[in-house]
Amino acid sequence: MRRILLLLALIVPLLALGAPARAGGWALTVMDPVPVTSPDTTYTLGFWLLQHGTHPYEGDDLGEVALEFTDGKKTLRFPGVALKEPAHYATAVSLPKGTWEVTAIQGWFPSYRIGTLAVPGRLEVAPVPPDLRPAITGQQPPEEDHWGAVRPPRIPLGDGTPGFLPYRSATPTPVATPAAAPAGGSPGETTTVAVVERGTWWRPGYAVTALAGVAGVTILAALVHRMRRGRITGVPPR
């Protein structure tokens, strides 16, 4: 019995760590059209954080929302500012020449890879991960339309699949234009900081998977215990 308890003590934390965050809480980020970029030029970029790919976040404290750019040597993070439309954010960015992996920091939701930005050049948007596509395409448009004329663009599913639009209608979003440089400084002067990847592992979506795993391990342990007890006493387990 002590061995079984020790086994449980080792397995349960592993189940919690390995449980997919998408089991109950996941989101993705869709960019507004991004202009052709130039090095050390300030741009204002808009983006939409969509819970389950279809609607604004339903909760109280989402946490930090930002865009993160990594070139393999350094990481720059630009905080997002909430706009008047639900789930809509904007941030001012300025990047040196290079190829940057673009990641959305989505509060307590797992981070989401948006694509690759070439500076100078364009943003190449990555398609939605295959494990999320069925969850998005299988949903019906919500009865409540959260947006007016300004609304999220189509979600890039890739693989030749038409982008899924979880809304009743769509209006083209204006292309972002370079923002004016701060007074008294050059266009390349912007506040950016190198960040260290967060070590937080817990997500609310872990709870369901973790509990299911604990229940399964507990049942298995009970069966093993009864079988061993039956061999010792000579009474077959019922």
Side-chain angles (χ1 to χ4, degrees), residues 5 31 46 71 92 97-98 128 130 138 142 148 162-163 165 232:
L5 293 177
M31 297 292 298
D71 67 352
K97 183 178 179 180
V128 174
L165 190 65
I232 293 173

Side-chain angles (χ1 to χ4, degrees), residues 95-123:
L95 298 168
K97 183 178 179 180
T99 301
W100 300 85
E101 286 290 324
V102 187
T103 302
I105 305 302
Q106 306 185 127
W108 63 261
F109 292 113
S111 300
Y112 182 81
R113 179 177 179 268
I114 295 175
T116 304
L117 176 65
V119 180
R122 296 181 178 273
L123 172 67

Side-chain angles (χ1 to χ4, degrees), residues 123-215:
L123 172 67
E124 182 178 346
V125 179
V128 174
D131 60 324
L132 290 187
R133 295 175 198 170
I136 296 173
T137 56
Q139 297 187 50
Q140 297 295 324
E143 295 182 0
E144 178 183 359
D145 192 346
H146 301 279
W147 299 282
V150 180
R151 58 180 56 243
R154 288 180 178 268
I155 297 174
L157 294 181
D159 297 336
T161 305
F164 177 66
L165 190 65
Y167 333 110
R168 288 195 288 269
S169 62
T171 301
T173 307
V175 176
T177 55
S186 64
E189 292 179 349
T190 184
T191 303
T192 60
V193 293
V195 298
V196 179
E197 186 174 348
R198 295 176 295 177
T200 301
W201 56 267
W202 175 256
R203 295 289 186 271
Y206 293 166
V208 175
T209 306
L211 290 175
V214 171

Side-chain angles (χ1 to χ4, degrees), residues 46-93:
F47 57 100
W48 304 78
L49 196 163
L50 303 175
Q51 184 174 12
H52 300 156
T54 59
H55 57 85
Y57 169 62
E58 298 174 344
D60 297 325
D61 184 15
L62 176 59
E64 180 188 15
V65 175
L67 293 181
E68 191 171 271
F69 299 81
T70 304
D71 67 352
K73 298 179 180 179
K74 58 183 175 181
T75 298
L76 304 176
R77 184 178 295 187
F78 301 89
V81 177
L83 302 179
K84 68 175 183 177
E85 299 84 21
H88 199 191
Y89 297 83
T91 185
V93 307

Side-chain angles (χ1 to χ4, degrees), residues 11-26 201-218:
I11 292 178
V12 171
L14 293 177
L15 288 172
L17 287 172
R22 292 169 183 171
W26 60 273
W201 56 267
W202 175 256
R203 295 289 186 271
Y206 293 166
V208 175
T209 306
L211 290 175
V214 171
V217 172
T218 303

